[in-house]
Amino acid sequence: MKKILSIASMLMCLFLNVKAQPKPNLDKVVAVVGSNIILLSDLNQQYAIYLNQGNPADPRAKCYFLQQMLVQKLLKQQAEIDSIVVEENQVDDELDKRMRYQINRMGGQENLERFLQKSVLQYKDEMRPDVKEGLIAQKMQAKITEHTNVTPLEVKKYFDTYPKDSLPDIGAEVEVGEIVLQPKLTKAEKQKYYDKLEAIRLRVKSGEDFGFLARTYSEDPGSASEGGDYGFIDRQTMVKEFTAWAFKLKAGEMSPVFETEYGYHIVQVIERRGEQAHVRHILIRPQNTPQSLERTKLKADSIYNNLIDKKLPFATAASLYSDNKETQYNGGMMLYADNQTARTTFVPVEKLDPAVFVVIDTMKVGGISKPVVFNDQKTGKEGYKIFFLKSKIPPHKASLEQDYPKFKEKAQQEKESKVMSEWFEKRKETTYIRVDEEFETCDELKLWVKKKDSK
């Protein structure tokens, strides 16, 4: 716990794991950093997060959380001095991203709201100040370490700090490519879904309540229970077709039926505020037909045959045919989702989607799978995937030659941590910091507590 974690990690912990705990009537200040205070209720909320993650009760955890809160307050104070700000649309994006994650994690918005005992919109409003402060602190930390880079020599020196008999064991890793094929409906196949939403639009125009119709018919799990209400969005929040209508309409106006990758929409603008628009919408998702699935299967088989006959490199086929925009121009290669900073294509086998592992487990390196059916997590629809096993590294004892990217990342983190520690040491000397005597004995906080003059 002595090691300072990133502000991003702390912020994710705060936002994602528990519902906000009510603050008690009796509260006290447990720490002061410059003009910023930390309340006991805020610290207790962090401890509640720790317990709700299934961790055992451990009062020492409060020492760690208080240290992280001190770190964030000191970074925030310096950010104010350096005029570092975070735009409101960045806060909106962060809130939306984390809320989508939480909704998926809880199996739907209704389950999340039942757990929170409040609406998603209320929860977002409550979390906004903490998320904004965390983003500001994160931005300040990035500025402090922006010119910190490691050389190959520094990576080797870091590797040499490991005793040879203490080098970590590295589990099996694979590089997997994918070509994703999602069924495309013909205009005739989609017409009934267009007609359904057009009929709903006409009901709104004739005076029926938009919110009631959204709750009744909308197939957007993120907004249907809120009457289709998305709150305020900016021009970067939604897909381009949605954004175009949201910022073309005046307050009170409603769009015609239009199409995006998610299906058919109608959107109504409730309020305009500068470069933001408060909108609500109704979504109808066209469903696959047996004919569209058969067409996709024939296309997948054709691509597979061309790959097997070496008429087309896998990377080229991915760029030409894959419907996954995240991997389409990356040679079709999956990125390790748990380590987005490194953007590595080497994925630990135990982190693979079980449905992917079942397919590639018996494949040889360089092998290409026959088209397999999959369910798209975003749309819930069936489609086809073709997999390519580019490489497979068996379990082994870590070595610099084989695992250089991993040790480079660790060396970079250590160097940034040292830079941050030096920065904190300097700032602590010129900043008023007070920690309540209840926490003065914490090992994590000894460096933050000013030594009392000996008598």
Side-chain angles (χ1 to χ4, degrees):
M1 286 190 177
K2 294 181 180 179
K3 192 171 183 179
I4 295 175
L5 295 182
S6 70
I7 294 300
S9 298
M10 176 189 171
L11 191 57
M12 286 294 286
C13 179
L14 171 66
F15 188 86
L16 292 175
N17 293 291
V18 296
K19 55 188 174 182
Q21 303 294 317
K23 294 182 180 179
N25 293 327
L26 296 177
D27 211 344
K28 74 171 183 177
V29 175
V30 293
V32 179
V33 179
S35 59
N36 298 284
I37 65 171
I38 298 172
L39 297 174
L40 178 61
S41 57
D42 296 326
L43 180 59
N44 286 338
Q45 180 172 305
Q46 288 295 303
Y47 187 58
I49 291 173
Y50 170 83
L51 295 177
N52 275 273
Q53 287 177 313
N55 294 304
D58 182 1
R60 292 175 302 173
K62 289 187 178 182
C63 298
Y64 164 74
F65 293 127
L66 183 53
Q67 179 210 26
Q68 294 303 305
M69 296 169 86
L70 287 165
V71 167
Q72 179 163 311
K73 295 296 183 185
L74 192 56
L75 285 166
K76 177 200 171 196
Q77 178 171 286
Q78 186 62 42
E80 291 170 350
I81 295 171
D82 290 358
S83 300
I84 288 178
V85 296
V86 170
E87 299 297 332
E88 292 303 319
N89 66 306
Q90 293 176 276
V91 182
D92 290 333
D93 288 347
E94 192 69 20
L95 281 165
D96 289 340
K97 180 176 71 175
R98 297 178 185 189
M99 193 58 69
R100 284 194 297 271
Y101 171 87
Q102 191 71 334
I103 288 171
N104 289 334
R105 186 178 176 216
M106 295 296 293
Q109 184 169 327
E110 289 185 5
N111 292 339
L112 176 61
E113 291 181 332
R114 193 178 302 116
F115 175 71
L116 296 173
Q117 296 179 358
K118 62 188 67 177
S119 74
V120 163
L121 292 177
Q122 286 175 307
Y123 189 50
K124 287 170 70 173
D125 286 342
E126 289 178 7
M127 297 307 302
R128 190 179 191 85
D130 291 324
V131 170
K132 184 173 184 178
E133 181 178 293
L135 289 174
I136 290 172
Q138 187 177 335
K139 197 171 181 180
M140 184 69 234
Q141 183 171 331
K143 180 183 178 183
I144 296 167
T145 60
E146 64 182 338
H147 299 301
T148 305
N149 295 299
V150 290
T151 64
L153 180 59
E154 288 174 315
V155 177
K156 185 178 185 307
K157 285 183 178 179
Y158 175 80
F159 176 81
D160 290 340
T161 62
Y162 283 85
K164 292 296 181 280
D165 58 352
S166 299
L167 286 168
D169 293 316
I170 306 296
E173 295 178 320
V174 291
E175 284 187 295
V176 180
E178 64 174 1
I179 296 173
V180 180
L181 299 170
Q182 297 170 337
K184 307 292 192 300
L185 300 184
T186 65
K187 186 175 181 180
E189 289 170 335
K190 292 190 290 186
Q191 188 64 43
K192 69 176 183 179
Y193 300 100
Y194 176 96
D195 292 342
K196 179 180 179 179
L197 188 53
E198 174 63 13
I200 294 171
R201 190 184 75 87
L202 293 176
R203 289 172 65 178
V204 174
K205 287 184 70 69
S206 67
E208 292 192 51
D209 181 64
F210 189 105
F212 171 77
L213 293 171
R215 282 187 287 272
T216 305
Y217 296 108
S218 183
E219 295 170 355
D220 177 8
S223 69
S225 64
E226 295 293 333
D229 198 329
Y230 259 132
F232 280 92
I233 65 168
D234 58 39
R235 295 181 186 273
Q236 283 75 48
T237 304
M238 313 299 287
V239 292
K240 61 181 181 180
E241 298 91 349
F242 193 105
T243 299
W245 278 110
F247 287 90
K248 180 179 181 180
L249 300 170
K250 297 177 182 178
E253 291 183 335
M254 180 175 57
S255 74
V257 176
F258 64 93
E259 187 178 10
T260 74
E261 62 187 279
Y262 297 96
Y264 287 113
H265 308 251
I266 53 173
V267 60
Q268 185 180 59
V269 174
I270 300 172
E271 180 185 353
R272 289 290 299 273
R273 187 185 296 168
E275 286 301 298
Q276 291 190 318
H278 184 183
V279 300
R280 55 185 177 179
H281 87 134
I282 297 173
L283 169 68
I284 298 297
R285 298 176 182 268
Q287 300 302 310
N288 292 338
T289 64
Q291 294 81 5
S292 68
L293 283 169
E294 180 60 25
R295 290 194 300 269
T296 307
K297 176 66 165 60
L298 291 172
K299 181 179 180 181
D301 288 340
S302 175
I303 295 170
Y304 170 76
N305 290 330
N306 283 333
L307 291 170
I308 293 298
D309 294 340
K310 301 189 183 304
K311 295 179 180 179
L312 203 61
F314 189 89
T316 302
S319 66
L320 290 174
Y321 303 115
S322 182
D323 291 319
N324 187 334
K325 295 178 181 178
E326 295 179 2
T327 62
Q328 182 179 16
Y329 298 111
N330 186 41
M333 303 307 298
M334 299 178 180
L335 293 174
Y336 181 24
D338 289 359
N339 191 352
Q340 295 184 1
T341 303
R343 291 189 63 79
T344 179
T345 55
F346 288 93
V347 182
V349 168
E350 68 272 13
K351 294 291 185 178
L352 277 177
D353 182 330
V356 177
F357 176 76
V358 167
V359 177
I360 64 103
D361 185 38
T362 56
M363 290 172 58
K364 294 181 180 179
V365 172
I368 294 171
S369 76
K370 290 184 177 181
V372 294
V373 178
F374 78 100
N375 282 303
D376 187 277
Q377 291 183 349
K378 185 165 65 174
T379 65
K381 297 178 183 178
E382 281 190 348
Y384 285 88
K385 285 187 178 182
I386 300 171
F387 293 106
F388 166 51
L389 182 58
K390 181 179 180 180
S391 68
K392 184 174 184 178
I393 301 176
H396 62 281
K397 188 69 72 174
S399 69
L400 187 60
E401 294 74 20
Q402 203 166 11
D403 304 294
Y404 182 86
K406 294 183 180 64
F407 286 102
K408 180 181 179 182
E409 183 182 2
K410 290 180 180 295
Q412 178 73 24
Q413 291 172 347
E414 184 176 84
K415 190 171 183 179
E416 288 181 2
S417 180
K418 183 179 179 181
V419 169
M420 289 302 304
S421 295
E422 292 172 351
W423 183 88
F424 281 120
E425 284 301 316
K426 292 179 182 178
R427 290 302 179 276
K428 284 189 298 184
E429 293 304 315
T430 58
T431 304
Y432 174 74
I433 298 173
R434 181 179 68 80
V435 176
D436 188 84
E437 59 183 10
E438 179 183 350
F439 298 96
E440 285 185 351
T441 57
C442 291
D443 289 339
E444 290 86 353
L445 298 173
K446 285 180 179 178
L447 293 175
W448 293 83
V449 177
K450 302 284 186 181
K451 293 182 179 180
K452 295 181 174 64
D453 295 332
S454 57
K455 295 185 179 179

